[in-house]
Structure formats: structure tokens, C-alpha cells
Amino acid sequence: MKYILSVLVENKPGVLSRVTGLISRRGFNIDSLAVAPTEDVSMSRMTIIVEADEVAYEQLTKQLHKLVSVYKISDMTHEDAIERELVLFKVMAPPDRRHEIIEIANIFRAKVVDVGKNTLTVEATGTQSKLDAMEGLFRGYGIRQLTRTGKIAMSRS
């Protein structure tokens, strides 16, 4: 099962390395990782997605709690949470087909953020399924480059 962890940590050098090192030493692969400072500049929030069975996951969270730089761990897997991901697509777009790509972007409420001689760069945010659907449509035109941020999440309320 994939678990979504929101981990509040000190915003100091080495904290990311200690947290990810602990996870990798326990034999987990990190499917997604997003880290940024919070409203309190002395803290950062890490959104980590790992796949594990229930027993291994429980042990992992206990080990994370032992790290001095970790303040709070929230399991957002079964919570009513808002989840988003950001993606940039650089799509092959000869001038005579650009309108088709722009139309696809508009349908998904995405933005064209750069125009090249033969490419368009499209920025989109949303759920994984929405972004996967966009990727599938853009593949028909040829994707020159693609980059995704990984999932971020915040509990409702």
C-alpha cells in the first residue's frame, strides 16, 4: 500500500539527508518527495510517499519520530486531504498544430508558459490521474521533455 506522510521538520542543513537516509536504510523506496519551508521559516514540511505493508510502515514512523529534527508526522493516506502535483510538458508543436495543443491545455485548465520555434511548454497542476491523462494526449504530439514535482498534500479543515 502507498502511504502519504506529511513530516514537519527543522529547516536546517542535513535534515533531508537524515530523513531520507533513515527511509532508505529500512529498505523503502520513496515514490515521491516534496520539501519546502512552511509559514514558520524555521520549519519545513516534507511530503513523502512510500510503499510498505502495515507492519513495516508502523516501524518506519516510529523510527522517524525518534529523529530529533522531526517535530510531527501526519499520515494523510486515509484523511480527507487536498492532493496536488505540478508538471511541465515541453510538447512538439509545429505552428500548424499549436492550436490543438493549446486547446488540450485549456480543457485541463493548464497554462502555456513558453513558446519555442517548434515546441510549447505547458504547466499544469492537479491530481495524478488528471496529469496522466494530459500526458497521454500530449504523447501523440511528441513530448520533448517532462518534469513532475511529486505529490504535495494538505488536510482539509
Side-chain angles (χ1 to χ4, degrees):
M1 175 171 188
K2 287 193 180 190
Y3 290 92
I4 303 170
L5 291 172
S6 178
V7 184
L8 194 61
V9 297
E10 285 182 296
N11 187 11
K12 290 187 175 177
V15 173
L16 173 63
S17 178
R18 284 192 293 279
V19 170
T20 57
L22 184 146
I23 293 169
S24 66
R25 281 192 307 277
R26 301 293 180 272
F28 295 99
N29 183 44
I30 297 173
D31 289 337
S32 177
L33 173 66
V35 185
T38 65
E39 64 283 353
D40 177 354
V41 295
S42 68
M43 307 291 274
S44 286
R45 183 171 319 281
M46 302 175 75
T47 305
I48 306 167
I49 300 176
V50 295
E51 189 163 344
D53 62 44
E54 193 173 327
V55 174
Y57 169 73
E58 196 172 308
Q59 188 171 27
L60 173 65
T61 56
K62 286 178 182 176
Q63 293 294 319
L64 283 171
H65 274 295
K66 289 181 182 179
L67 292 177
V68 174
S69 52
V70 172
Y71 289 104
K72 183 179 179 184
I73 300 172
S74 300
D75 182 349
M76 303 185 82
T77 308
H78 303 293
E79 277 190 32
D80 185 21
I82 301 164
E83 300 174 11
R84 294 291 183 269
E85 190 174 349
L86 169 71
V87 65
L88 294 172
F89 298 99
K90 188 179 288 183
V91 182
M92 293 301 297
D96 61 327
R97 299 202 65 197
R98 285 189 178 164
H99 68 282
E100 297 170 27
I101 295 165
I102 292 169
E103 186 66 27
I104 292 170
N106 288 338
I107 289 168
F108 285 95
R109 295 187 183 129
K111 295 191 294 189
V112 174
V113 294
D114 189 46
V115 179
K117 274 187 168 182
N118 292 306
T119 62
L120 287 177
T121 302
V122 178
E123 170 191 305
T125 59
T127 62
Q128 183 176 351
S129 61
K130 172 186 171 179
L131 301 180
D132 289 345
M134 283 184 71
E135 182 179 340
L137 291 171
F138 286 151
R139 288 227 179 265
Y141 296 92
I143 296 176
R144 298 268 327 254
Q145 193 173 359
L146 174 134
T147 187
R148 291 176 91 143
T149 60
K151 193 180 291 188
I152 57 171
M154 179 183 284
S155 63
R156 294 186 188 269
S157 73

